[in-house]
Amino acid sequence: MNSPEPGSIYRYWGKYDTEDGLVWHLLAYHCLDVAAVGNELVRRDPQVFRKTVGAVPLRDEYVCSLITFFLAVHDIGKFSERFQGINPTLQSRLQGAACRMPYSHHHTTMGMLAFMREIWPRVLSENWFGTDPDEDPFDLEDLFLPWIRAAAGHHGKPVADSGTFSDLFSPMDREAACAFARACSDLFLSEPPEEPVRYSTHLHEAFTRISWLIAGLAVVSDWIGSDSGIFRYHQEPMPLSEYWQRYAVPRAREAVAAAGVLPSAVAPFPGIASLLPENAVPTPLQEDAGACELAEGPHLFIIEDVTGSGKTEAALALTHRLMERGSAEGVFMALPTMATANGMYRRFSEKYRQLYSDGEHPSLLLAHSARNLSDLWRRSIGPKIDKKTFSPEGEAGSAECAAWLSDNRKKALLADVGVGTVDQALMSVLPLHHQSLRLFGLARHVLVVDEVHAYDEYMNTLLERLLQFHAAFGGSAILLSATLPIRLRERFVAAYCSGIRVPAPPVRGAAMPLMTVVSPRGVEERPMQANALSRRIVAVDLTSSEADVESYLERALGEGRCACWIRNTVADAIEAYKRLAERWGDEHVKLFHARFTVGDRQEIEDEVLTWFGKQSTDADRRGKILIATQVVEQSLDIDFDAMVTDLAPIDLIIQRAGRLHRHQERRSGAAATPVLLILSPPPVETPARDWFTSVFPKAGRVYEKHGQLWLTARLLAARRRIVMPDDARLLIEGVFGDSAQASVPETLKVWEIQADGKDRGHAALAQINALRPQAGYADLHGQWEDDNRTPTRLGEASVTVVLARRDGTDLRPWSDGGEDGWARSQVSVRESQIAGPAHYSEAEKREIERLRPLLPGRGENILVPLTLTADGSWEGRARNQKEDEVIVTYDHKIGLQIRDWMA
């Protein structure tokens, strides 16, 4: 073919060098770069191929060609003179004149308009897609529209075709856009399907469902295809077929490999013993997970067993077996908190490689907002090269993550193995920017959700929708819990069954341990034999006197034992710490709650592990007391000789009791039964309305269902002990079951009614916010917003406060953490307590403006300068939600405290 004349499609730039605006990459070539990346991903990633191409009931090669075509026209809106006018000098050079009209519509919106108003009529009239000419044009539009939207929405959100097309594209623009689309049709769609494509409900449902993954594919293809280091700028006109073969395809192969998004080869499953410490005996649960029969198709496993029974290892065994059979390429482990995610990341960094073949270098990615403060995470990030050849120096190269994956949390679910908070997964089913990228990554993996009982009604409803989405794409999931109510298990089963389109029978299995298995064959509830080593008995005493609590702790201290008192509020924890530290000295008493700066909290966690962790010695533990809030329920592997807890719902009491004599190897030969002391109002038969708040005035809104608290206290007062796993189902259903709820006294039902109403409202809000698989990739309600506008969690809004020490006229971060000092000086506070900064002086404003580039959150977080006072405390000012000034004090042993200016 002769070199073409400089036709209209070569008069448009797609990318240009921001330092030299007259160095550019032609738009047609950028579009082909992105299409080549997408084509490479589809053809070289078996899961992507299976879940996109294989899920459409048409010939595979035809579907591949369709996907490549739609990716090629993803930037068709850039053919508008208004977009080209962003660089008027370059536009003048290419087109002879610059557009003076404003760039008023994003190019993705203009692309949708161009396709639907100008290009689509040509598609139909010239039958580019090989459709049946007798089909209704409106039916054909309905069929392909989801994929058109998916390609147009490559910037992370769907776009509409609203607007006046003629005002946005000149006649030359329209000619160029249509010429390019026609050329792409000739290049990619020259082979018609075996049979003309006809509209059917089944085919329409497939196109609609898969549009979510096509949208994610478009995002990742555009990101990778925009790498100017690999896709070097090309300005010389040549036939598109020549550019495709000479440049786009080989560069796409190089770019995809460098990005680290292709799957690593999976190793054969070597058996459950490979996941356990040397000479350890598998539990019955673990043995079953390593050997049970797996049906064809996707699976949901719900594993219920006590703390310490090896649920995580069982989940990894099932994950590896699903990967081995080709049902997944990796795993994403979702945890309730950043602290639990950090702990799991440390565990995975030692084990995840055995999922993959020797010689592979799979990526392991930590996904939460504070991950950059993890030394292990930072060390894992490699240079921007092919992950298959990357082997970092230093600490055993235990965790690896290609640099492209590591630079944005939105890519978290693209790694071979991901560990993060459950929020990262829930974002994939909320109308948030780049949710399709998260959904695309997750669809290739097994989703494991730990501590699945730990979420509120809003998050549970979102998790149901996530399970429905994941099942619809043929993804498998594993849910882990020690205290899951039956009715919640039933909801999760029903959601997954909806996604794989099988009937959801009632689930009633009450055994413990229990594995519930959902597959295309149906639902099976399989009781497991309890592990004799995980059977634990904890004696329970109740008291309503803090004096009794202190006497109990004093006895433990005198006997050289270690103890913990878990309080329900930060204020109560601080009050108890001050009293006990003054009595016994802070060398014996430590405080741990969520209102410390990130840096101080990390140091406290390390000290807590030194005192009470698995490697602690008798000398480390002797006579030590920890006063803590709920932060110790799940995040740290710690163990106490004695424990006190404020009254909480039964599932949390069980969780807290799991910190008593947790490390059984330390207790060999010990015959004494550990005692859990619960500070609680007496569980009288006719409690007053203020039954709970009379003892815990500050905790009344922490646990709003006071009837559940009364049921918990009454049940434990009657039984006087917790035997796990024997009592697990009895205790959980004895508080959360329907018959138990019916027995709540009338005086406390007002609390239940109020809380139930809030739960229903939160569930309804989650239903409104969550996306629907059957709707396809479309903005139906105008809800696509920033991440903080459609949250993954509800509750009182919080703000991030950054603390600074005042040093003369200069400000320096509270934490001396080197380059991370400002990030380590952050602390989260309820917005009602601190809503904004104080009224700064002009000098303070200048200093803060100087620091802004260094501050986390681009300087938008609230900065509170602290001054050292005469009594040795650090004090500053801020404003609360009422715009009143408040005094902020901070101490590295006590944390953040806030009081009214006039107090």
Side-chain angles (χ1 to χ4, degrees), residues 499-700:
I500 60 173
R501 301 186 180 187
V502 299
V507 295
R508 292 289 181 263
M512 187 75 167
L514 182 73
M515 182 187 292
T516 304
V517 184
V518 184
S519 72
R521 292 195 309 199
V523 179
E524 179 186 4
E525 295 175 283
R526 292 163 44 188
M528 300 281 135
Q529 179 184 348
N531 178 30
L533 295 178
S534 65
R535 188 174 189 271
R536 303 180 66 247
I537 302 175
V538 174
V540 175
D541 284 339
L542 277 72
T543 181
S544 58
S545 168
E546 290 197 10
D548 289 346
V549 170
E550 294 186 21
S551 296
Y552 174 82
L553 295 173
E554 186 170 28
R555 286 195 301 274
L557 202 67
E559 295 166 359
R561 297 188 294 154
C562 66
C564 178
W565 184 1
I566 300 181
R567 309 238 51 189
N568 288 336
T569 70
V570 173
D572 287 337
I574 290 174
E575 180 185 325
Y577 169 78
K578 288 180 176 178
R579 190 167 65 247
L580 299 184
E582 182 179 354
R583 182 172 176 179
W584 295 316
D586 57 18
E587 69 273 17
H588 291 285
V589 186
K590 185 172 291 295
L591 177 65
F592 185 30
H593 56 69
R595 213 182 292 164
F596 286 98
T597 62
V598 172
D600 285 346
R601 177 164 175 167
Q602 288 182 338
E603 291 181 9
I604 292 170
E605 283 189 11
D606 291 342
E607 292 170 356
V608 168
L609 286 170
T610 298
W611 280 13
F612 310 109
K614 196 167 188 177
Q615 305 303 320
S616 63
T617 66
D618 289 342
D620 295 326
R621 304 162 60 83
R622 187 181 303 278
K624 300 295 198 304
I625 295 176
L626 179 66
I627 309 298
T629 58
Q630 296 89 338
V631 293
V632 299
E633 284 176 1
Q634 300 160 335
S635 58
L636 299 174
D637 186 8
I638 49 181
D639 165 68
F640 302 97
D641 303 321
M643 176 173 283
V644 183
T645 175
D646 292 353
L647 180 64
I650 188 65
D651 56 332
L652 300 184
I653 294 290
I654 294 172
Q655 192 79 26
R656 295 173 187 184
R659 283 351 190 213
L660 253 178
H661 292 204
R662 176 181 177 89
H663 301 142
Q664 295 297 316
E665 64 276 10
R666 190 192 300 279
R667 319 272 172 197
S668 58
T673 299
V675 177
L676 175 67
L677 181 62
I678 301 177
L679 181 62
S680 168
V684 295
E685 288 300 314
T686 55
R689 187 179 186 277
D690 65 347
W691 172 80
F692 182 69
T693 54
S694 63
V695 176
F696 300 104
K698 299 182 183 72

Side-chain angles (χ1 to χ4, degrees), residues 185-198:
S185 170
D186 292 341
L187 183 58
F188 302 119
L189 298 172
S190 58
E191 291 293 329
E194 292 178 342
E195 296 289 336
V197 178
R198 298 178 178 84

Side-chain angles (χ1 to χ4, degrees), residues 116-138:
M116 297 309 299
R117 308 288 176 85
E118 190 76 15
I119 297 171
W120 182 250
R122 302 191 184 209
V123 171
L124 290 177
S125 63
E126 300 176 28
N127 198 12
W128 295 358
F129 297 165
T131 56
D132 188 329
D134 294 329
E135 283 290 282
D136 186 325
F138 293 105

Side-chain angles (χ1 to χ4, degrees), residues 335-381:
L335 286 302
T337 66
M338 288 188 288
T340 52
N342 288 342
M344 188 62 69
Y345 181 70
R346 286 191 292 269
R347 291 177 64 181
F348 263 44
S349 68
E350 301 170 358
K351 291 285 187 183
Y352 77 103
R353 291 176 182 277
Q354 66 189 54
L355 297 171
Y356 298 94
S357 300
D358 292 342
E360 295 291 295
H361 293 279
S363 53
L364 170 65
L365 195 143
L366 178 63
H368 60 65
S369 59
R371 67 179 180 174
N372 288 331
L373 299 178
S374 165
D375 290 337
L376 182 61
W377 160 248
R378 289 197 300 268
R379 287 196 298 270
S380 75
I381 300 170

Side-chain angles (χ1 to χ4, degrees), residues 111-350:
M112 189 73 184
L113 281 167
F115 204 97
M116 297 309 299
R117 308 288 176 85
E118 190 76 15
I119 297 171
W120 182 250
R122 302 191 184 209
V123 171
L124 290 177
S125 63
E126 300 176 28
N127 198 12
W128 295 358
F129 297 165
T131 56
D132 188 329
D134 294 329
E135 283 290 282
D136 186 325
F138 293 105
D139 284 344
L140 294 176
E141 181 174 313
D142 285 346
L143 187 64
F144 289 99
L145 184 59
W147 285 19
I148 299 170
R149 285 190 179 127
H154 60 275
H155 275 241
K157 59 182 289 187
V159 295
D161 60 347
S162 57
T164 305
F165 172 68
S166 59
D167 292 341
L168 301 174
F169 291 80
S170 70
M172 184 180 75
D173 297 340
R174 296 183 213 173
E175 176 192 346
C178 289
F180 176 70
R182 186 67 180 83
C184 289
S185 170
D186 292 341
L187 183 58
F188 302 119
L189 298 172
S190 58
E191 291 293 329
E194 292 178 342
E195 296 289 336
V197 178
R198 298 178 178 84
Y199 178 91
S200 69
T201 301
H202 179 54
L203 187 58
H204 179 259
E205 287 177 351
F207 268 84
T208 302
R209 183 176 69 256
I210 303 308
S211 66
W212 296 105
L213 300 184
I214 300 298
L217 177 65
V219 172
V220 71
S221 300
D222 188 49
W223 276 3
I224 296 175
S226 298
D227 183 348
S228 59
I230 295 178
F231 294 97
R232 292 175 289 282
Y233 288 176
H234 201 101
Q235 304 165 3
E236 178 189 353
M238 66 174 62
L240 297 188
S241 58
E242 181 180 348
Y243 180 86
W244 174 261
Q245 294 295 338
R246 286 182 58 186
Y247 298 106
V249 171
R251 288 173 178 174
R253 189 172 297 118
E254 177 187 356
V256 169
V261 294
L262 289 176
S264 299
V266 176
F269 177 60
I272 189 65
S274 65
L275 297 168
L276 306 178
E278 189 175 358
N279 299 323
V281 177
T283 67
L285 168 66
Q286 292 168 341
E287 286 184 335
D288 189 76
C292 65
E293 180 188 358
L294 299 178
E296 291 297 320
H299 286 69
L300 169 67
F301 298 91
I302 302 178
I303 299 175
E304 298 174 76
D305 204 349
V306 297
T307 301
S309 60
K311 294 189 295 293
T312 301
E313 290 76 16
L316 281 177
L318 289 168
T319 294
H320 198 164
R321 296 180 63 205
L322 289 167
M323 292 169 60
E324 181 185 34
R325 61 185 289 180
S327 297
E329 295 167 349
V331 57
F332 183 78
M333 176 70 81
L335 286 302
T337 66
M338 288 188 288
T340 52
N342 288 342
M344 188 62 69
Y345 181 70
R346 286 191 292 269
R347 291 177 64 181
F348 263 44
S349 68
E350 301 170 358

